[in-house]
Amino acid sequence: MELAQLRYFVAVVEEGGFTRAGARLHVSQPGVSAQVAQLERELGQRLLDRSGRRVTPTEAGRAVLAYARAALAAVEGVRRTAEEFSGLLRGRVALGLVPGAAGAVVDGFDVVEVLGAFHDEHPGVEISLSEDTSERMLAALLRGELDLAVVGLPGEPPPGVSCQVVLDEPLVAAVREDDPLVAAAVNGGIPLAALRGRALIGLPRGTGLRAVLERACAQAGFAPRVDFEAAAPAVLVRLAARGLGVAVVPSGAESAAGPRADVDTGSGSGSGSGSGSGLCALRITEPELTGKVALAWRTDGPSGPAARKLLERLRSGAPGRPAP
């Protein structure tokens, strides 16, 4: 049994097919198939079900998969430890980001700038970036598929995950200035109940801010009617500027509507000033809703020295403190 066989087997399971696994490993599809078949012959068990459109592990394959991953992780740990003693930091760090996090600078916390400085100091470290919903990234952290993640935090982090909040902003309702909500606003705010039955524009299910909205609406006795979803707050605001509904976004995101929308802060009790095509950002009150974005990692810490060093850099550049 060879490590390459285990690596190919794990890749086929994770990619759901031999062709995609080969592309990931930069190996031809026949080469991957031959190595996995050899592994099956050596073990005397069929590890993969090839009968469907997607290749899936058999019962024996699922049992073997955990050990295969552990073996590969152990070998990687040996390599990283040896390199750490040599004084040359190498390895790979998997970092997950909520959409838009890479392009945002919050209170001096600039992910791109931190990654750039880290790469300058440690050019031998490969950093893999991915975007996904907060729910899936938190699960990936616990499974060890991600080392670090910048996530939306709807409440307390799940057991086994530690967080440092980097953004804590109130949520606002971004609407066109001719929307009835603007005229009904008091001191620039509207109660959450005013959104009952309204067409809302929000982040997808599984994101932290969407969870905050749904939880608050449920406590208020209604389900939010979300007609449009988008992963980036800037897109939500543009949809609202088009008059397609009420965008529920963090305060400040309404400025992403672009130069064609004259955004008003909604600070008055009546309609905002503007050209008729602008936006007003109305504070959501009764209750006030806030959206938190946090740097997250496994409580027991990342396994590799490169990920631990990057976590240290990110935490030193983040404005907040660890979440309870």
Side-chain angles (χ1 to χ4, degrees):
M1 184 186 308
E2 299 179 359
L3 284 174
Q5 294 171 340
L6 298 180
R7 187 174 294 108
Y8 292 175
F9 166 62
V10 170
V12 171
V13 172
E14 292 178 349
E15 298 296 332
F18 290 92
T19 301
R20 288 189 293 273
R24 165 174 151 180
L25 298 168
H26 306 291
V27 179
S28 67
Q29 182 271 333
V32 175
S33 181
Q35 288 291 322
V36 173
Q38 178 63 28
L39 176 64
E40 291 177 317
R41 284 194 296 270
E42 291 183 13
L43 296 177
Q45 293 287 339
R46 189 166 60 91
L47 303 178
L48 298 172
D49 182 354
R50 302 163 171 82
S51 61
R53 295 183 60 184
R54 181 179 177 86
V55 178
T56 58
T58 62
E59 183 178 358
R62 289 192 294 272
V64 168
L65 181 61
Y67 290 100
R69 283 174 168 157
L72 294 173
V75 171
E76 178 66 13
V78 170
R79 185 181 67 81
R80 288 180 175 178
T81 300
E83 290 173 344
E84 187 175 16
F85 276 99
S86 72
L88 180 62
L89 194 63
R90 291 187 180 274
R92 181 177 182 273
V93 182
L95 172 63
L97 302 170
V98 289
V105 180
V106 181
D107 293 341
F109 181 62
D110 186 340
V111 173
V112 171
E113 182 59 33
V114 172
L115 293 180
F118 184 83
H119 177 71
D120 290 342
E121 293 180 11
H122 308 289
V125 176
E126 175 190 350
I127 300 177
S128 171
L129 300 178
S130 60
E131 290 188 334
D132 208 337
T133 65
S134 300
E135 185 177 88
R136 287 197 287 263
M137 287 193 294
L138 288 171
L141 271 178
L142 292 172
R143 291 195 302 266
E145 297 169 4
L146 288 177
D147 297 301
L148 310 167
V150 177
V151 301
L153 202 62
E156 297 297 320
V161 173
S162 295
C163 290
Q164 181 169 328
V165 176
V166 299
L167 172 66
D168 189 354
E169 293 287 349
L171 297 186
V172 299
V175 295
R176 287 172 60 96
E177 62 183 12
D178 56 359
D179 190 285
L181 287 176
V182 177
V186 177
N187 295 325
I190 57 170
L192 177 65
L195 302 182
R196 182 193 299 263
R198 289 297 305 265
L200 303 183
I201 305 168
L203 295 170
R205 291 184 184 275
T207 57
L209 297 186
R210 178 67 174 268
V212 168
L213 175 64
E214 291 182 338
R215 183 180 303 170
C217 289
Q219 292 173 348
F222 70 96
R225 174 190 152 195
V226 180
D227 285 3
F228 289 88
E229 293 181 346
V235 177
L236 304 182
V237 171
R238 292 188 62 192
L239 291 170
R242 184 64 177 78
L244 297 176
V246 182
V248 180
V249 294
S251 177
E254 70 278 0
S255 62
R260 295 183 64 184
D262 301 320
V263 179
D264 185 75
T265 61
S267 59
S269 60
S271 61
S273 61
S275 63
S277 61
L279 289 179
C280 286
L282 305 175
R283 291 181 295 103
I284 299 175
T285 62
E286 302 177 27
E288 292 187 355
L289 305 184
T290 61
K292 296 180 180 180
V293 175
L295 173 65
W297 63 92
R298 288 187 301 281
T299 300
D300 57 1
S303 58
R308 292 196 296 270
K309 181 65 70 172
L310 179 56
L311 173 60
E312 180 183 322
R313 288 295 298 269
L314 287 168
R315 292 193 68 186
S316 65
R321 296 182 177 179

